[in-house]
Amino acid sequence: MKLQQATRYAIWAAVETASRPGELVSAGDLAAKFGVSQHHLAKVLRTLALAKIVSSTRGPAGGCMFIADPRRLTLYDIVSLFESDWWNSENGVREGKGTTVADEVSRVLREIDRITSATLRSVTIQTLINNAARRRRREAAEKAGAGPSAQAEALEAAAKAAGG
Amino acid sequence: MSILAKSQAAEIQIGPAALEDVPRVIEIDAKITGEAKAEFWYSFFSGQGSNPKRSFLVARDEGRVVGYIIGTVRAWEFGSPPSGWIHAVGVDPTARKAGVGTKLFNEMVEFLRGAGANTIRTMLHIDDHLLMSFFRTHGMAAGPFVELEMSAEQT
């Protein structure tokens, strides 16, 4: 599966701003963090603002602030803003319809689409934030040469921080 | 709307299910799934006494059952080394968003780990995005096994 550049930027921006609640984050900051074009990122942020995922403030001290619910907003919500109907790979396909071979191929493609859609719908922005925190803790514990019990404690602490 | 505030969730007690809890578990499960499965729940309850690798836990709020979770350590089915399976988890819709599910999940993971599981698994309907999201929030993700099925009536 290959996402468009804008979609990938939008996901990064949503996760980054959601992990800094109440903070105005500039497009420049985000662009520098991810090493991407600020101009391109600004366009992506405008789309996120129109969708009421972030609020946007203009001016030298301006930026964007995450305003959606990170426990409810999913990857599907963001992807579908930029790539409408892409998960429906059979949409608009007319050739070969009605032949058993084409129908069987369509069935397999719909199976893939369904799994992709379900995965995107079940991953919230908060889950991405939690998993990133878990990864950081695990890597820190490994770097410190901690034993399995210390790593388990770190993972447990991360799980507790995730709430539910 | 949840009847439990986050602060109240701290008072939630997680413990082994008793026989008298089973009707309430059946009721909660039926509320969630639309189907009462008395035979399944009594069968799971009666089987746990003789199996140290099986656990049936409930969450109690001032004695009233508001959630449940069941799990088992199973080995070598489908070629899989010993792993902990979470077969079902449910929280009364009126007691959600207060961390009850998380408490149940954490207790079950602790039990399964203690019973020898290095991996925790579950299986759920592909369209149950809410439950899938719950498991993912706790760090679960797609594993190396894939479920396949066909109609038994297919020729």
Side-chain angles (χ1 to χ4, degrees):
Chain A
M1 180 179 117
K2 189 162 172 62
L3 294 174
Q4 288 180 40
Q5 197 178 48
T7 315
R8 202 172 288 270
Y9 289 3
I11 294 168
W12 291 346
V15 174
E16 182 63 22
T17 53
S19 63
R20 295 156 71 172
E23 194 179 324
L24 267 182
V25 184
S26 73
D29 275 359
L30 289 170
K33 172 150 187 153
F34 296 114
V36 300
S37 147
Q38 183 176 336
H39 175 71
H40 197 163
L41 195 61
K43 281 169 66 180
V44 165
L45 290 173
R46 275 198 291 278
T47 305
L48 291 180
L50 282 172
K52 300 196 184 323
I53 292 170
V54 298
S55 67
S56 183
T57 310
R58 289 171 182 271
C64 61
M65 185 189 297
F66 189 84
I67 54 170
D69 180 350
R71 292 181 182 277
R72 291 286 169 267
L73 187 72
T74 67
L75 284 182
Y76 182 93
D77 298 325
I78 296 176
V79 171
S80 57
L81 281 177
F82 294 87
E83 316 206 26
S84 58
D85 220 16
W86 67 271
W87 56 89
N88 187 357
S89 54
E90 287 301 276
N91 196 34
V93 174
R94 295 280 176 271
E95 299 90 344
K97 288 286 179 191
T99 68
T100 50
V101 170
D103 288 350
E104 192 53 28
V105 171
S106 288
R107 195 177 66 82
V108 174
L109 294 177
R110 281 198 304 272
E111 182 180 325
I112 295 168
D113 289 342
R114 194 177 186 201
I115 293 168
T116 304
S117 169
T119 302
L120 293 174
R121 284 176 196 272
S122 69
V123 179
T124 65
I125 296 303
Q126 191 63 50
T127 292
L128 292 173
I129 293 170
N130 294 347
N131 286 347
R134 272 193 200 94
R135 179 185 289 261
R136 279 195 298 273
R137 285 170 193 270
R138 191 183 303 125
E139 286 172 356
E142 281 168 3
K143 264 190 188 166
S149 61
Q151 289 176 25
E153 277 173 24
L155 288 172
E156 197 173 302
K160 277 181 185 163
Chain B
M1 173 95 90
S2 173
I3 56 168
L4 297 175
K6 276 270 182 191
S7 57
Q8 285 177 282
E11 307 301 319
I12 296 289
Q13 300 294 315
I14 308 294
L19 180 60
E20 57 268 28
D21 295 329
V22 178
R24 174 70 181 137
V25 169
I26 294 168
E27 182 190 336
I28 296 171
D29 175 43
K31 251 194 211 182
I32 299 167
T33 66
E35 197 174 344
K37 313 170 196 79
E39 192 181 336
F40 168 79
W41 287 108
Y42 279 109
S43 170
F44 193 92
F45 179 82
S46 62
Q48 65 165 351
S50 58
N51 187 347
K53 293 189 179 293
R54 177 187 284 215
S55 179
F56 187 161
L57 301 173
V58 291
R60 292 190 179 82
D61 174 34
E62 294 180 343
R64 177 176 165 81
V65 172
V66 292
Y68 60 81
I69 191 166
I70 56 175
T72 315
V73 174
R74 299 168 84 147
W76 306 118
E77 287 168 319
F78 316 110
S80 165
S83 56
W85 279 87
I86 294 176
H87 304 293
V89 58
V91 175
D92 189 315
T94 63
R96 286 184 183 168
K97 296 183 181 174
V100 176
T102 293
K103 279 193 144 190
L104 284 162
F105 180 87
N106 289 340
E107 283 287 331
M108 182 54 73
V109 168
E110 201 57 40
F111 166 81
L112 294 169
R113 192 185 289 142
N118 292 320
T119 306
I120 310 298
R121 293 206 168 99
T122 191
M123 186 154 61
L124 66 163
H125 196 279
I126 195 168
D127 294 331
D128 195 344
H129 305 132
L130 190 67
L131 188 55
M132 203 185 297
S133 191
F134 169 80
F135 284 124
R136 284 186 182 278
T137 295
H138 291 84
M140 297 185 90
F145 290 83
V146 173
E147 180 256 355
L148 297 176
E149 66 176 36
M150 62 181 269
S151 164
E153 292 167 6
Q154 191 172 324
T155 54

